[in-house]
Each structure stands twice: as C-alpha cells, then as structure tokens.
Amino acid sequence: MKCIILLLLFSSFAFAQPKALFYMTNSTDSVKSFSEHADKIDVLVPAWYWVDGNGLVWGGPNPEVLQTAAAHHVPVMPIVALMNQGDLHKLFTTPAAREAFIAALLSECKRFAYTGFQIDFESVNWTDHDLLSSLVADTATALHNQKLQLTIATVPNAPGFPGKSDYSHWLYANWRGGYDLKALAQSVDLICLMTYDQNTRWTPPGPVAGYPWTVANVEYALQFVPKEKLSMGIPIYGYHWYAGSPANDKPNPTADYVGQRDIDQYLAAYHPSVQWDPTDRTAWFYFYRDDTREWVFYTDKRSFEERLNLVRERGLEGFCSWVLGPEDPQIWTLLPAHK
C-alpha cells in the first residue's frame, strides 16, 4: 500500500502541469483570444499600466476582461511598464517617485482586486542593476504586506557578460546587464524569463527563440533562481525579414512582427516550402517578392510543444507567453482546461 501511495505521489509530481501565464494587449485579437481560451490560462498578465520617471502610474483595466477572468477564475496580474533608460534611472534614484510608484500599485490592486503586479522594466542600463533590485525589493515588501504578489519580467542574460561583437556589447550594456537574478529572486514571487527576441530587426534573419539559446538561458538563470520561481518565456509570434526602403542611400534590412494570420497569407500567396530547423527546433520559410528573398521564422504548434516539454523537463514553475492574439490556434490543443 505504501509503495502504491509513493508511486502515485511521484507520478503526480513528475507530471505536474506547468502554470500557463499569458500576456495580453488591448488589441481586439488579444482580448478575443483570452475570451475563447480563458479555461486554459492560469494567470493573465495584461499590458495595462505604465509609469514615468516621476513615479506617476497610469492606465487601467478592460472591464470585459475582468468579467471574463472572474467568471473563469483566472487571476489577473497586470504589467506596469517603463522602457526609457533615463526615466528608469530617475525612478530608481528619486525617493518620492519610488513612493508614488509603490502607492499606486497598492491602490490599483485594491480597486480592481488584482492578485498583484508584474514589473516590466526594459532598457535598464547595466550600471543600474543594483538600483533596480532595490526598488523591486521595496515594492515586493509593500505588496507582500498586503497579501499581494510581485513578479518581474527579465531579459535573458546568459552568459552574464558582454561578448566579442559591438552588438553583444550594446545588448549587455543596455538590456541584459540590468538584472541581478539572484537579488531579484530573493524579492519576487516569480521571474518571467523573456526567452524570446533572440533575433529581431536588429539582427540577420533567425529564430525568435532558438532551442539551444533558450536552454542556455534557462540553465544560466537556474544558477540563481529556484526552479519553483522561474517561468520560461515561449513566444507565440514570429518575424518577417525583408529589404526596407533605403534611407539616405544606406542599406535598410528590417523585420516586422507577424502572427499566424500573416503567415497563412504568405503561405497562400507565395506557396513557400515550410521548413523545420532540427537544431533550433523552429518553423521557418522563405519566399521571393519581386527579386528579393524574404524570411519568416515563427512559433507553430510543434515549436511550442518542444518548449513546453523543456519547461516540464526542467521542473520549472511554468511558462509565460507573449502574446495572446497572433498565436497558432493549434497550441491550445496542447494545454488542459482548468479542473
């Protein structure tokens, strides 16, 4: 009997379903996707709030979304975002701004019954990483005192130092180097590791989140963050690279953010051969428009499942997916409904 109980406990642990955290914007498609799939979402993180360098928080909820979330018992934890380096430094270093910021989060949680907030501060200068950790610690203390949660989205920062190229130096100085994962993990309830945008309009064509790159960033984060506090980012969008209009007689390769609807249109119009990259475990294709080859990398059901399995294999708290709306609708067949 004891062996059976132990086996059942082990099986329950081994096959525990990762928590499904999804981001949502105010777009019609994003709201519609939430309404249609609320029973498969464990936490909703809508991009509803912003803050400036003076600590002034603004924004607010979509009442329809709050009603849907309540009906389906989905906790709502909005983002509060700031992505201007100068304003971030001002917020970090101005006591009155810090106090106003924290007070506003507490007020909005009380007003709309949020379970807490997620901080999304990007473009943090690497020299400000201790200041960010300090503000997060103070904010977490204030929210925890009111039985609320604080989570944070962080840019993946393996290997923890700048690389050889000018691009890697820029990326570390202005994006990756701003997050002290160990300090942040001691304060927050969850770290959402944004393992996406490996390649963007700033880079040549490539996967949105290549598999080896994702694994490396998860393994690096796990050196500092308990697996029970780590949610791995799974992108549910893609990028389309093409030759932009030459500016000032200079080359202008660029990329646009695309979703499944765009991809379906490209497939119907240009009939490309969809490829599977066995190393990066991602879907991609190219096609010719006029005389130029254009590239698309994106997350389909198979790409999503590969990353979902990685979350399970590493025993992480769950995954966080940006963003509801452009996803391949087939991903929902991989996720269970709430019990």
Side-chain angles (χ1 to χ4, degrees):
M1 182 59 133
K2 185 183 291 185
C3 291
I4 293 174
I5 293 172
L6 288 173
L7 180 60
L8 290 172
L9 288 172
F10 174 78
S11 298
S12 175
F13 174 78
F15 296 102
Q17 183 65 27
K19 294 292 185 183
L21 183 155
F22 281 88
Y23 294 100
M24 188 198 76
T25 67
N26 283 322
S27 76
T28 301
D29 285 346
S30 199
V31 173
K32 181 174 181 287
S33 180
F34 172 64
S35 298
E36 292 175 349
H37 304 107
D39 284 337
K40 296 191 173 187
I41 295 171
D42 294 310
V43 182
L44 180 69
V45 181
W48 282 345
Y49 290 88
W50 297 264
V51 61
D52 64 19
N54 296 313
L56 180 63
V57 174
W58 74 98
N62 178 323
E64 177 190 353
V65 170
L66 288 182
Q67 291 173 5
T68 302
H72 294 269
H73 309 289
V74 180
V76 178
M77 179 181 291
I79 281 175
V80 57
L82 179 55
M83 302 185 186
N84 179 280
Q85 204 163 88
D87 282 344
L88 282 164
H89 184 78
K90 184 177 180 181
L91 176 63
F92 296 157
T93 57
T94 308
R98 293 165 66 112
E99 292 173 8
F101 169 69
I102 294 170
L105 300 192
L106 292 170
S107 175
E108 292 300 287
C109 284
K110 182 177 181 180
R111 185 179 175 193
F112 296 110
Y114 301 143
T115 58
F117 265 91
Q118 180 165 124
I119 288 176
D120 184 13
F121 291 169
E122 300 179 42
S123 191
V124 179
N125 192 281
W126 76 281
T127 58
D128 280 350
H129 71 285
D130 287 340
L131 295 172
L132 170 61
S133 298
S134 172
L135 177 59
V136 169
D138 288 351
T139 307
T141 297
L143 267 64
H144 290 160
N145 285 342
Q146 299 299 316
K147 310 301 182 187
L148 299 166
Q149 295 183 330
L150 182 69
T151 66
I152 186 169
T154 65
V155 174
N157 51 3
F161 53 83
K164 296 180 180 179
S165 71
D166 290 341
Y167 176 73
S168 295
H169 169 263
W170 170 81
L171 199 61
Y172 182 85
N174 297 285
W175 294 89
R176 291 178 176 173
Y179 306 94
D180 182 339
L181 293 179
K182 183 176 181 180
L184 294 171
Q186 291 171 349
S187 299
V188 301
D189 298 283
L190 185 70
I191 287 180
C192 289
L193 190 67
M194 295 186 286
T195 37
Y196 33 82
D197 280 6
Q198 177 189 8
N199 295 289
T200 65
R201 65 187 179 89
W202 297 98
T203 71
V208 180
Y211 194 83
W213 177 84
T214 301
V215 170
N217 274 287
V218 168
E219 291 181 346
Y220 178 79
L222 286 172
Q223 296 179 52
F224 311 101
V225 182
K227 62 183 180 180
E228 298 82 9
K229 281 192 172 187
L230 188 63
S231 180
M232 189 190 90
I234 303 180
I236 46 177
Y237 60 91
Y239 280 106
H240 166 209
W241 280 265
Y242 60 96
S245 177
N248 300 319
D249 294 324
K250 293 183 178 180
N252 186 30
T254 190
D256 286 339
Y257 181 94
V258 294
Q260 190 61 43
R261 186 181 302 168
D262 304 297
I263 289 160
D264 290 342
Q265 289 174 353
Y266 298 146
L267 295 177
Y270 299 102
H271 309 290
S273 175
V274 176
Q275 305 292 318
W276 175 256
D277 187 317
T279 299
D280 281 312
R281 304 190 192 185
T282 194
W284 66 278
F285 59 84
Y286 68 83
F287 60 90
Y288 282 93
R289 192 187 329 237
D290 296 328
D291 298 321
T292 306
R293 179 181 286 194
E294 302 185 7
W295 303 81
V296 176
F297 286 79
Y298 64 103
T299 302
D300 62 358
K301 176 185 174 182
R302 183 178 178 185
S303 308
F304 185 90
E305 187 172 22
E306 290 280 355
R307 284 147 186 80
L308 181 59
N309 288 337
L310 176 60
V311 171
R312 293 189 177 114
E313 290 166 9
R314 294 298 193 273
L316 305 182
E317 186 272 351
F319 67 89
C320 47
S321 278
W322 182 272
V323 57
L324 290 170
E327 75 274 7
D328 179 350
Q330 290 301 310
I331 71 164
W332 297 109
T333 65
L334 301 171
L335 301 175
H338 299 148
K339 294 182 179 180

